[in-house]
Amino acid sequence: QSALTQPPSVSGSPGQSVTISCTGTSSDVGSYNRVSWYQQPPGTAPKLMIYEVSNRPSGVPDRFSGSKSGNTASLTISGLQAEDEADYYCSLYSSSSTPFVLFGGGTKLTVL
Amino acid sequence: QLQLQESGPGLVKPSETLSVTCTVSGGSMISTTYYWGWLRQPPGKGLEWIGSIYYSGNTYYNPSLKSRVTISVDTSKKKLSLKLTSVTAADTALYYCARLMPISGMAFDPWGQGTLVTVSS
């Protein structure tokens, strides 16, 4: 299995919206809905932001939303805030005969 | 609230075995609804899944590490363990433990704060 593909960096100004893509193949992202997104500010552990493509855990602002189309999942952050500046990682849990977890390479979000 | 805390040796010599432990507090490990996992992050790089262990005791490992990894759980002591044999400099990383929940699509939540293990002579 190959890692999922994310853009290395994205940026936006406060109040704007940004979208981070996560591209896989028809065998992984295209076949499974167990896509999750994690936020990792500098020097901290990752935090779950989205699970099963578009569900938000309790406490995650509704400015964060997820979607999927074909082999690409996306994380959209609307109303950007300075505190959103972090690395973001997508992940896929593949429930094949032998469960496997894939991660994207990560995307650095800069709030201008 | 469930909390996870990793602990490790800090420094391991090449070719030796890396052992890291994760202590769970604020909740039970004994549940058919919880699975547990280990992940790592080399300095300045991305996340990598090492493996997971299910309540049944079944373990699943990243194929790239499978020959060197053992994950186990001691529910009575509320500890999750990771052993990685024959380490090299490429195994230098921040090692995280995390819970997986089927109800959350097998997402990792929460994570421990991580423990840095450096492989060097």
Side-chain angles (χ1 to χ4, degrees):
Chain A
Q1 294 87 343
S2 300
L4 306 174
T5 300
Q6 297 181 233
S9 63
V10 297
S11 62
S13 299
Q16 290 185 332
S17 294
V18 295
T19 296
I20 300 171
S21 61
C22 173
T23 301
T25 68
S26 58
S27 299
D28 42 59
V29 176
S31 296
Y32 300 101
N33 285 327
R34 288 174 167 173
V35 176
S36 52
W37 289 90
Y38 301 89
Q39 177 193 63
Q40 187 179 32
T44 69
K47 174 188 174 183
L48 178 66
M49 304 300 284
I50 296 286
Y51 66 92
E52 287 185 315
V53 175
S54 59
N55 295 299
R56 279 186 309 276
S58 174
V60 173
D62 59 7
R63 302 186 294 103
F64 292 83
S65 62
S67 62
K68 190 183 86 165
S69 178
N71 300 335
T72 298
S74 299
L75 172 71
T76 297
I77 308 170
S78 58
L80 268 179
Q81 298 181 4
E83 65 200 50
D84 298 331
E85 187 161 292
D87 292 327
Y88 290 84
Y89 293 90
C90 64
S91 178
L92 171 76
Y93 175 85
S94 168
S95 53
S96 61
S97 57
T98 302
F100 189 83
V101 178
L102 290 173
F103 277 94
T107 299
K108 170 66 177 176
L109 168 63
T110 300
V111 180
L112 302 171
Chain B
Q1 184 178 356
L2 191 78
Q3 292 187 319
L4 292 77
Q5 177 70 59
E6 304 88 345
S7 58
L11 181 65
V12 180
K13 290 183 168 56
S15 80
E16 295 188 343
T17 296
L18 176 160
S19 295
V20 184
T21 299
C22 173
T23 301
V24 177
S25 61
S28 174
M29 291 190 80
I30 305 174
S31 172
T32 59
T33 59
Y34 297 163
Y35 302 159
W36 307 91
W38 283 101
L39 308 99
R40 70 180 184 179
Q41 184 172 35
K45 296 187 178 181
L47 298 168
E48 180 181 34
W49 173 69
I50 298 172
S52 301
I53 185 165
Y54 291 6
Y55 70 89
S56 61
N58 288 347
T59 50
Y60 301 97
Y61 300 129
N62 188 324
S64 68
L65 299 170
K66 186 176 182 179
S67 63
R68 300 193 291 130
V69 174
T70 301
I71 292 175
S72 61
V73 62
D74 185 333
T75 55
S76 64
K77 295 183 179 179
K78 301 181 76 172
K79 291 185 184 296
L80 178 69
S81 297
L82 167 70
K83 291 188 186 300
L84 182 65
T85 62
S86 305
V87 298
T88 69
D91 296 310
T92 293
L94 197 55
Y95 285 78
Y96 293 103
C97 60
R99 181 183 64 180
L100 298 87
M101 296 211 312
I103 196 172
S104 299
M106 298 300 276
F108 294 99
D109 180 48
W111 297 56
Q113 66 182 30
T115 185
L116 179 63
V117 179
T118 301
V119 179
S120 176
S121 55

